[in-house]
Amino acid sequence: MQQARATLGKYTWVKTIARACRAAVATLRKKAKQFKGGLEFLALRYLMQVPSQNVRHVILRKCFGLLIDPTSVIYMGTEIRSPSRIRIGANSSIGHNCVLDGRGGLEIGKCVNLSSEVMLWTMQHNPQSPVFDVKVAAIVVEDYAWLSARAIILPGVTIGEGAVVAAGAVVTKPVEPYVIVAGIPAHPIGERPRNLSYRLGTDDSIWFV
């Protein structure tokens, strides 16, 4: 009986060490992931200050996995998170100092205009959560949509084709095609013509901004 207890105690000690090792490995992996994410964030911050659209776009595609059509443009100062989960269609324009949050998935269609300082957040904290948990959901901005200056789009929102979000609006729910919304929270205030045919992007941009 005494020998059995000794054997059991030895195995308990081994299991305790094994659990501690697993916990340590999990912590190291988490720290490594955070460190890698921090380095990527810092590198992107510096990259988006480079005064050359071509240089920025090539590095974003080749090094960070951003899917952007060659006819589209991202202006200087834009903050980009998780670029490998972002897709930007043809002839679209992303203005100065925007926020493109790809952590939950972000898709921007063709001929889309994001004016300066627009924010698209696919991740946010849940104010009802006792542990300050996060909500993650994709954002879709369809063709010919126009998001005016300092508009904020929150997780899970789809901006319909040709829709307009007025300056400073906060969008918490999907916006129907060709509807104009404004306010906090955003609500419909009008409609837009459906015969849109313009193009944006590199054709009208200045290469060093």
Side-chain angles (χ1 to χ4, degrees):
M1 178 67 71
Q2 187 175 1
Q3 184 178 4
R5 288 177 179 174
T7 302
L8 181 61
K10 181 177 70 173
Y11 282 119
T12 302
W13 179 74
V14 170
K15 289 180 180 179
T16 300
I17 292 179
R19 282 197 298 269
C21 288
R22 286 195 295 268
V25 169
T27 300
L28 286 173
R29 286 177 176 171
K30 182 179 179 180
K31 294 294 184 182
K33 184 178 180 180
Q34 291 173 340
F35 183 73
K36 180 182 177 183
L39 285 180
E40 181 181 82
F41 180 80
L42 187 62
L44 287 165
R45 292 281 284 187
Y46 281 109
L47 172 62
M48 295 311 297
Q49 301 301 326
V50 173
S52 169
Q53 292 175 10
N54 289 335
V55 171
R56 294 197 303 269
H57 291 180
V58 167
I59 295 176
L60 285 170
R61 290 190 193 98
K62 300 295 184 181
C63 299
F64 294 98
L66 178 72
L67 296 178
I68 178 172
D69 190 274
T71 61
S72 292
V73 60
I74 303 177
Y75 284 95
M76 288 177 65
T78 291
E79 179 181 317
I80 302 175
R81 303 194 182 195
S82 299
S84 63
R85 303 197 66 190
I86 298 174
R87 175 185 294 178
I88 302 173
N91 299 113
S92 290
S93 177
I94 312 299
H96 293 94
N97 302 315
C98 290
V99 174
L100 303 181
D101 179 11
R103 290 173 294 178
L106 174 57
E107 184 172 349
I108 297 173
K110 66 180 182 180
C111 302
V112 170
N113 183 61
L114 269 61
S115 300
S116 296
E117 300 184 20
V118 168
M119 297 183 181
L120 281 70
W121 292 110
T122 62
M123 181 183 290
Q124 68 174 1
H125 287 283
N126 179 4
Q128 304 302 325
S129 170
V131 295
F132 208 44
D133 203 0
V134 295
K135 173 185 177 181
V136 184
I139 290 175
V140 177
V141 183
E142 296 183 350
D143 301 347
Y144 289 102
W146 172 20
L147 281 56
S148 194
R150 296 188 176 181
I152 300 174
I153 315 301
L154 296 182
V157 167
T158 294
I159 307 296
E161 180 177 347
V164 177
V165 178
V170 178
V171 184
T172 61
K173 297 179 180 179
V175 179
E176 295 296 319
Y178 299 97
V179 170
I180 303 173
V181 299
I184 303 175
H187 58 276
I189 61 170
E191 293 189 2
R192 194 181 189 194
R194 295 176 178 263
N195 56 338
L196 305 175
S197 60
Y198 58 82
R199 292 187 177 184
L200 304 169
T202 54
D203 290 344
D204 299 320
S205 67
I206 303 171
W207 66 268
F208 55 84
V209 298

